[in-house]
Amino acid sequence: MASNHENDRLLDEILKQTDKKRTPAPAEKPQQSKPQERTSHESEAAVRPYEPKHAAQPYQPKHAAPERSVAQPSDMEKTTIHQKSEMPRQRTADSLDVPIAGEERPQVRPRPQQTRAQREAEAKKRKRRRRNKSASRIYGVLIMLTLIIVISVLLSVTIISVGKDMIGVEGTKTLVPFTIPEGATTADIAEDLHEAGIIEYPKAFVLFSRLSKADASYVAGEHEVSSIMAYEAIIDELTGVEVEDRVTVDVMFPEGTTVYAAAKKLEEANVCDAQKFVYYFNQANYGYKFEQYLPTTVSKLKFCKMEGYLFPDTYTFYEEMDPSEVCLKIYKNFNVKMTDTYYARMEELGLTLDELVTLASIVQAEAATKSVMKDVSSVFWNRMKNPAEFANKLQSDPTRKYVEQTIKPNIDLADQTIYDAYDTYVCTGLPAGAIGNPGIDAIEAVLYPNDTNYYYFYANVETGVTYFATTLEEHYQNEAMIKEQQKQAEEARKQAEGGQ
């Protein structure tokens, strides 16, 4: 694998090339005509007329010859001319391959006299030298090919590593605050992002920013980014409106609320679209610890995958937020509330996280007050510990209400198997999923139930009092008593209205 140092070196080269392209080329100066240079074979005489140092004097013989006509040569001249014409032409060194007088010609060294054995030994040496040269060439080619392959692999690894960082493949969805100081350059921002663990290759970010023409668009102030965001998304966030300038809104989710009810509240508060929120909330995979405890496969009978993980609380959001950012904030709150102590206790009881929030959602819906939650929890625990006696039926009325009020209005196609999987009068054991989002009191009630022998309970919704029973006969007595109480309360209400 290529080191970050090697990757940075390659990115430096790319940045240098882009710098060269961005720097305007200087204007070309008009070429000035240069004086024509003389060639080596031109003498100074070709430029200036020759001026001899001494003027030539006409030849004057010591003894003047008698005057004669040019047309009539003398007898001696005729003889001389005839002799010259018959003389053979003198040979020169150019006409024959003979040395010129006074010149030394190179001598060819004669071949030394060798025996046959010597000649064969010499031939073997020549063959050995040729083989060595061939082997050297092969080794050189192999070394060159190896270098090319190594460089190609390094480049490929660099491209893959930088590419992953650019698209945010291996990051987490956890939003972290990020501040851009006044006067910060793109390089400064890239280094700060690297130190914050948002990006891995600052130089690649600088290059991407330069190619995106975003260098002069960054907004100083507070922003929120995550390491799973692609470079493009990070740049969009950092060049957008500062967080402090955005309108905030508080949204409160009560205990027992459903994901669909929460989505409606968010849309009414102009935080995000309801359907998009439900979609992103059920995607999960935001990089929080509690997600490690989620089931690897989701049952087809489960209606809302992440029902139960929207922790009830009052949240501060920004108007027109990205739905994934809203989900991150809610997930973060649940992740903080689920401590290591809860995980350890969950494992002691043999519960999965999904089973914990599912049972807690039922306790949340059944318990009228916090004080009775642990007793209500003990009823369901006692029933699950005695499956034969109660046919492993929890028989909780809120599970039927969830089917009628949440599943049926929001399901695309009616599916009786899903309805039955949530109705604890029909299904065995826990339902297919949570029927709401429990608070921390309900979660603790499941983890630390009271030690009782209760198998039944009946709550008076008028007074908020819950009555527990060990036997079915006691349960019926409690039911009759509560109905009588409700009847008396109704008659008293009517008398009060009639007296007015």
Side-chain angles (χ1 to χ4, degrees):
M1 294 290 290
S3 63
N4 287 354
H5 178 73
E6 181 67 18
N7 294 339
D8 287 343
R9 188 183 65 78
L10 295 174
L11 290 170
D12 277 333
E13 293 297 326
I14 297 173
L15 287 171
K16 288 179 182 178
Q17 294 299 323
T18 57
D19 285 335
K20 290 179 181 179
K21 292 181 179 179
R22 296 178 67 194
T23 306
E28 296 183 0
K29 296 181 180 180
Q31 296 182 355
Q32 297 179 356
S33 58
K34 298 181 180 180
Q36 186 175 4
E37 298 180 355
R38 301 183 191 131
T39 58
S40 60
H41 61 273
E42 289 179 340
S43 65
E44 194 172 349
V47 181
R48 293 181 299 176
Y50 172 71
E51 297 179 0
K53 295 181 179 179
H54 304 285
Q57 300 294 329
Y59 174 73
Q60 295 181 356
K62 295 181 178 181
H63 303 284
E67 296 181 0
R68 58 182 180 272
S69 172
V70 176
Q72 298 177 356
S74 61
D75 294 337
M76 187 176 292
E77 290 174 341
K78 290 180 182 180
T79 303
T80 304
I81 293 171
H82 178 71
Q83 289 176 352
K84 288 181 179 180
S85 63
E86 292 180 354
M87 289 178 62
R89 197 165 80 182
Q90 186 177 0
R91 293 180 299 179
T92 64
D94 293 334
S95 61
L96 294 175
D97 189 16
V98 295
I100 300 175
E103 180 184 11
E104 294 184 2
R105 298 297 299 272
Q107 299 296 323
V108 179
R109 187 170 56 186
R111 180 187 295 273
Q113 296 294 327
Q114 295 178 331
T115 63
R116 181 176 180 180
Q118 289 176 334
R119 288 195 300 271
E120 289 178 353
E122 186 68 25
K124 289 180 180 180
K125 289 182 180 179
R126 288 196 297 269
K127 288 181 180 180
R128 193 179 300 113
R129 284 195 294 268
R130 284 196 294 269
R131 284 197 300 269
N132 292 337
K133 288 181 180 180
S134 299
S136 299
R137 292 192 190 99
I138 293 172
Y139 293 148
V141 171
L142 290 176
I143 292 172
M144 183 62 67
L145 288 175
T146 303
L147 288 174
I148 292 173
I149 292 171
V150 170
I151 292 172
S152 300
V153 170
L154 291 175
L155 287 173
S156 300
V157 172
T158 300
I159 293 171
I160 293 171
S161 300
V162 175
K164 285 183 177 180
D165 195 40
M166 283 186 174
I167 61 177
V169 171
E170 298 177 347
T172 62
K173 295 183 179 180
T174 305
L175 285 175
V176 296
F178 182 78
T179 304
I180 298 180
E182 293 286 347
T185 64
T186 303
D188 296 334
I189 295 171
E191 286 297 332
D192 291 343
L193 288 170
H194 175 65
E195 292 178 2
I198 305 302
I199 63 173
E200 188 174 354
Y201 299 101
K203 290 183 175 63
F205 183 86
V206 172
L207 177 61
F208 190 91
S209 176
R210 183 177 299 171
L211 296 176
S212 302
K213 299 181 180 179
D215 287 350
S217 303
Y218 292 101
V219 178
E222 294 294 329
H223 301 270
E224 289 182 340
V225 292
S226 67
S227 58
I228 204 171
M229 294 171 67
Y231 282 6
E232 183 178 4
I234 294 174
I235 290 174
D236 288 343
E237 173 64 28
L238 299 183
T239 57
V241 180
E242 184 185 356
V243 171
E244 293 180 356
D245 295 336
R246 298 166 70 178
V247 179
T248 60
V249 58
D250 292 335
V251 180
M252 192 274 288
F253 302 129
E255 287 83 356
T257 190
T258 65
V259 169
Y260 283 88
K264 185 178 180 181
K265 272 196 168 188
L266 290 169
E267 186 172 83
E268 291 173 349
N270 196 30
V271 175
C272 65
D273 180 78
Q275 290 185 348
K276 289 183 179 179
F277 170 76
V278 173
Y279 172 78
Y280 281 102
F281 193 78
N282 282 319
Q283 294 305 304
N285 192 29
Y286 288 92
Y288 289 106
K289 178 181 177 179
F290 80 88
E291 295 178 272
Q292 301 173 8
Y293 294 87
L294 297 177
T296 55
T297 58
V298 181
S299 172
K300 294 181 180 179
L301 299 176
K302 197 169 188 180
F303 171 67
C304 186
K305 175 185 175 183
M306 296 305 292
E307 189 80 271
Y309 297 93
L310 190 155
F311 193 83
D313 207 339
T314 299
Y315 295 84
T316 299
F317 299 110
Y318 298 104
E319 289 188 351
E320 298 181 354
M321 284 183 70
D322 187 283
S324 62
E325 295 180 8
V326 178
C327 297
L328 279 168
K329 200 160 193 175
I330 297 172
Y331 270 48
K332 182 179 180 180
N333 195 17
F334 184 91
N335 192 66
V336 171
K337 295 297 189 296
M338 282 299 299
T339 64
D340 291 339
T341 303
Y342 291 159
Y343 289 121
R345 177 59 177 168
M346 185 179 73
E347 293 178 0
E348 285 178 13
L349 297 174
L351 284 176
T352 66
L353 181 59
D354 219 40
E355 291 170 340
L356 171 61
V357 297
T358 298
L359 182 54
S361 70
I362 298 174
V363 172
Q364 184 75 65
E366 288 281 16
T369 61
K370 174 184 175 181
S371 60
V372 300
M373 281 187 176
K374 292 190 176 183
D375 285 338
V376 171
S377 174
S378 70
V379 170
F380 294 117
W381 272 112
N382 291 337
R383 281 177 171 253
M384 289 190 293
K385 290 176 182 178
N386 296 275
E389 185 175 351
F390 296 94
N392 203 13
K393 297 288 193 297
L394 298 184
Q395 297 178 323
S396 172
D397 291 339
T399 59
R400 283 187 167 178
K401 290 180 181 178
Y402 185 78
V403 172
E404 297 297 326
Q405 298 176 3
T406 303
I407 297 180
K408 288 185 178 180
N410 295 291
I411 198 168
D412 294 330
L413 296 173
D415 192 335
Q416 189 62 43
T417 57
I418 293 179
Y419 304 156
D420 292 344
Y422 276 85
D423 187 348
T424 54
Y425 283 89
V426 178
C427 70
T428 57
L430 292 170
I435 61 172
N437 293 276
I440 199 67
D441 294 329
I443 291 174
E444 287 187 349
V446 173
L447 293 174
Y448 305 98
N450 287 337
D451 185 10
T452 70
N453 58 353
Y454 299 146
Y455 291 95
Y456 306 92
F457 63 87
Y458 203 103
N460 186 336
V461 295
E462 299 286 342
T463 62
V465 178
T466 303
Y467 298 88
F468 295 88
T470 302
T471 64
L472 184 58
E473 182 180 356
E474 292 176 356
H475 176 64
Y476 285 151
Q477 291 174 0
N478 290 336
E479 183 179 2
M481 179 182 62
I482 292 173
K483 286 183 178 180
E484 183 63 27
Q485 292 174 353
Q486 291 174 344
K487 181 180 178 181
Q488 292 175 1
E490 181 66 21
E491 290 176 354
R493 190 163 45 249
K494 288 180 179 180
Q495 289 177 3
E497 290 175 356
Q500 295 177 354

